Every structure is written in C-alpha cells, then in structure tokens.
Amino acid sequence: MTLPDASNIYGARTSDESTLAEDRMLPGALRDASFVTRLLCLFALGRPDLETHWESLQSKDAFQNARERQCSILTNTITAKAGLLLATSGVFVTTVSPAPYFDYTSPAPYFLLFISLMMAMIAMLTSGLGMIRWLHADRQWTQEQIKPGGYFLLPYLLSMVMPMFFAGLSLNCFIFAMLIAGFCSQNTVCHVLTAVWLVAYVVGVGSMSIEFMWKLAQMS
C-alpha cells in the first residue's frame, strides 16, 4: 500500500487556499467602478466602494448581518417615514386649512403636496419590493449578480437607493409646500415661525451636504 505524496497534498491545499483568497478579493470589474457607480455606492452603502460589502458576501453570518441591516433600513427608516408622509400629505391634500391665515390649498403648495403624496407612494412601493428582494436573497446568487459589474451592478445599487431617493423627494416637497404657505400668509407669527423653520432646514441640510461633499472629495 502506497501512501499519498505529501507534496501533492500540500500543493492541493495551497491551491485551494489561493483560490479561496482570490474569491474573497474584490473583482476588478467592481474595483474599477465608474464615478456614477461609486456615487450610488456612497448613497446605498455609506462608502464609495464595494470592498466591505463584497466581504459581507463571503460568509453566511456576514451576509445575514448585511441582509438584516438592509431590511432594518427599509422597514424603520424608509417605510415608516414614507408611510407617515403618505398619511400627512393625504390629509393636507384632501382637507381645507382650518386657519384662514395659513392657506396651503393655493396652487403652488397644493401642487407640491400632491407631488409629495405621489413620491411617498412610490417610496413605499420600492421599499416593499426591496424588502421582498432582500428577504429572499441568496448569497451566492448575489455574488454572481454583481461580480460582472457595470450594468449588472446598477440595478442592485438602485434597488437600495430608490426608496431613499423617493422618500427624500417626498419630504422636501412637503417642506417647501409648508414654507411657501407660511411665507404667503398674512400673519406675522407665521412668517417668523416659517423663517425659523427655514433656518433649521438650511443648517441641517448644509451640515449633511458638507459631510457628503467631503466623502465625495475622497472619491476623486
């Protein structure tokens, strides 16, 4: 009886380890991503690259954590806010202002409220579809989907970005509708409160924009 050659066993083991290491490395198609792809990664994953996300696809536990995190974002952040915006915009669109000095039924605010209502509906729809997709997602299938990069990667990232985009658009339309109604009011108190609200809005959006621009500068 002949024993197997130790060098062959070691060579096979080394080959398997090198193959596994290559699988864990970020593919070149994902490493050399375009500016649009990196921008979508920044919105969807919080990073301008796919290295961390690709690592989460290499093990079941890491993929489970990534899936739970994404489902939590879709459920708590997107669906809850979109549902609140949907209900609030629906009330404003279907009712008359109880205060005569704050008329949000004039053409401009009403149009923005209607757009906010529609965007909230789309946000809930895309969020629900994204939730279904992530609940039934398979780790290996996800790897095969995004590995070629390019146009195969864009739908994957857009499925995470679109709910946030429509929810944010709905919120901003609602805010601008209230700002227009407040500044068009004949009441001085409404003018003051609207001005304070506008300052808070500009400060909040400005601070987030500065951080976003800093991350965007890191990409170049």
Side-chain angles (χ1 to χ4, degrees), residues 53-54 57-58 63 67 130 132-148 152 155-156 159:
H53 189 65
W54 181 258
L57 299 177
Q58 305 307 312
F63 179 70
R67 178 164 55 185
I132 294 173
R133 178 195 174 282
W134 275 101
L135 288 175
H136 297 280
D138 179 75
R139 181 174 64 89
Q140 294 182 350
W141 182 84
T142 303
Q143 281 182 326
E144 295 298 325
Q145 178 189 0
I146 68 175
K147 191 174 183 178
F152 296 94
Y156 180 79
S159 66

Side-chain angles (χ1 to χ4, degrees), residues 78-146:
I78 308 301
T79 306
K81 289 183 178 179
L84 180 61
L85 285 168
L86 180 64
T88 306
S89 300
V91 170
F92 276 83
V93 167
T94 56
T95 58
V96 180
S97 175
Y101 52 82
F102 187 75
D103 185 17
Y104 53 78
T105 58
S106 56
Y110 190 84
F111 174 76
L112 289 173
L113 287 171
F114 188 70
I115 295 297
S116 175
L117 179 66
M118 290 192 296
M119 293 299 104
M121 290 180 181
I122 298 176
M124 291 197 67
L125 175 63
T126 54
S127 178
L129 292 175
M131 176 74 70
I132 294 173
R133 178 195 174 282
W134 275 101
L135 288 175
H136 297 280
D138 179 75
R139 181 174 64 89
Q140 294 182 350
W141 182 84
T142 303
Q143 281 182 326
E144 295 298 325
Q145 178 189 0
I146 68 175

Side-chain angles (χ1 to χ4, degrees), residues 155-171:
Y156 180 79
L157 295 175
L158 286 174
S159 66
M160 293 183 276
V161 173
M162 295 307 286
M164 293 184 284
F165 172 77
F166 286 115
L169 187 59
S170 174
L171 177 60

Side-chain angles (χ1 to χ4, degrees), residues 29 46 59 64 68 77 108:
S59 65
Q64 182 65 23
E68 290 177 356
T77 306

